[in-house]
Amino acid sequence: AIGSGTDAAYSVALQPDGKIVVVGRCFNSSYTNFCVARYLASGALDVSFNSTGTVITPIGSRNDYATSVALQPDGKIVVAGYCYNATNNVFCIARYLANGALDTSFDGNGKFITPTGALIEIANSLAVQPDGKIVVAGACKDPRNYYDFCLARYLANGGLDTSFNSTGKVITTIGARDDFAASLAFQPDGKIVVAGYCESGSNQYSCLARYEGGPFGAQNCSLDIDGDGRVTATTDMLIATRIALGINTSAAINDINFPVNATRKTWPQIRDYLVSQCGMSLQP
């Protein structure tokens, strides 16, 4: 148990180092809050995470539910769900540092509540684009009293991304009655694919919607690992060879002299590029 009452887990993510991050809701005194737990590969709680392996975070004014989690290449943990904002449930999001503390570079306090204008909002899925923007999908109740697909996109530093549908959010009616967006994924060209289930008459059907979301340079991978516009044996190919041999830590760039015009000279920069653009799984 993490909270003082009933706990429930809703989503899990696996870090490159084998640690397991689980999110959900935990009862904390009077209300449920976001809760995050991180486990070692052995199954024990990781006490390097908030000193206990767990963290409970109140977001809204009453009950909060964390329903989805995603990991950034820099090790930060992004959690989305829905929170009560004194009127109804709305989208909400929080970002944590690798040590379990809230990331204050995200909207100043590590959390953000997003009313989309719907009567009730339930966030079900979260994904992080290669450029750091965060997309959340779920269901929002419309004036007909039915649920529709709804999405919100956030900037990497917090706040809604107004380049997305001019408001940072979009609500889409799919079927004749309730529509619930349950999962999302990105295409290499930046388009956002959302899947869920929709009601038409007395039946439910699988349904899909695709949104313009890019481009964001997804999977823009090349052998120019240091970003200097060239591929050389003493930098790019040496790094690639070391990684291929199993050296997937900062030791992969030991004793390498990077060109002055290289845009990626540190292991975090190179790791982020290889993870986000080349689809590799590397340690922080």
Side-chain angles (χ1 to χ4, degrees), residues 9-33:
Y10 296 118
S11 184
V12 63
L14 184 65
Q15 294 187 173
D17 59 3
K19 293 180 179 180
I20 304 161
V21 180
V22 178
V23 304
R25 55 105 170 130
C26 299
F27 189 79
N28 188 24
S29 194
S30 299
Y31 301 109
T32 59
N33 298 139

Side-chain angles (χ1 to χ4, degrees), residues 9-281:
Y10 296 118
S11 184
V12 63
L14 184 65
Q15 294 187 173
D17 59 3
K19 293 180 179 180
I20 304 161
V21 180
V22 178
V23 304
R25 55 105 170 130
C26 299
F27 189 79
N28 188 24
S29 194
S30 299
Y31 301 109
T32 59
N33 298 139
F34 273 25
C35 60
V36 185
R38 190 167 70 192
Y39 300 86
L40 302 173
S42 66
L45 283 167
D46 175 17
V47 295
S48 70
F49 185 73
N50 195 41
S51 77
T52 61
T54 64
V55 60
I56 298 176
T57 309
I59 309 291
S61 60
R62 293 180 64 181
N63 290 321
D64 310 319
Y65 297 82
T67 57
S68 188
V69 61
L71 306 177
Q72 295 187 174
D74 58 5
K76 293 179 180 179
I77 301 167
V78 187
V79 181
Y82 54 99
C83 307
Y84 190 78
N85 72 342
T87 304
N88 51 35
N89 288 324
V90 296
F91 278 15
C92 54
I93 190 168
R95 189 167 71 192
Y96 300 85
L97 302 175
N99 64 7
L102 281 168
D103 176 17
T104 55
S105 71
F106 186 74
D107 204 49
N109 62 4
K111 46 191 178 181
F112 189 74
I113 296 177
T114 318
T116 65
L119 301 176
I120 299 175
E121 306 167 14
I122 300 173
N124 293 321
S125 186
L126 157 75
V128 180
Q129 295 184 174
D131 60 3
K133 292 180 179 179
I134 302 162
V135 181
V136 176
C140 297
K141 187 163 281 190
D142 63 25
R144 304 173 304 153
N145 209 35
Y146 292 126
Y147 285 101
D148 298 322
F149 275 24
C150 58
L151 281 75
R153 189 165 73 182
Y154 304 82
L155 300 171
N157 61 356
L160 286 165
D161 174 22
T162 56
S163 71
F164 184 68
N165 195 40
S166 77
T167 61
K169 49 198 177 184
V170 61
I171 299 175
T172 308
T173 300
I174 308 291
R177 299 181 64 183
D178 288 325
D179 308 320
F180 290 88
S183 187
L184 69 94
F186 303 123
Q187 294 185 174
D189 59 2
K191 292 179 180 178
I192 303 167
V193 181
V194 180
Y197 58 96
C198 304
E199 292 182 350
S200 181
S202 59
N203 297 319
Q204 287 184 346
Y205 301 92
S206 299
C207 52
L208 293 172
R210 189 169 67 184
Y211 299 84
E212 297 288 349
F216 49 62
Q219 303 300 313
N220 186 19
C221 181
S222 79
L223 289 176
D224 179 18
I225 294 175
D226 63 4
D228 69 342
R230 302 184 304 156
V231 177
T232 63
T234 54
T235 55
D236 309 287
M237 297 309 297
L238 180 54
I239 294 170
T241 299
R242 288 174 172 176
I243 292 173
L245 291 172
I247 304 173
N248 62 354
T249 66
S250 59
I253 64 170
N254 283 353
D255 303 319
I256 290 180
N257 295 315
F258 290 97
V260 174
N261 64 330
T263 60
R264 294 181 286 270
K265 300 180 182 181
T266 68
W267 177 245
Q269 291 172 332
I270 290 172
R271 178 190 176 278
D272 286 357
Y273 169 75
L274 294 174
V275 169
S276 64
Q277 301 304 316
C278 300
M280 293 185 178
S281 178

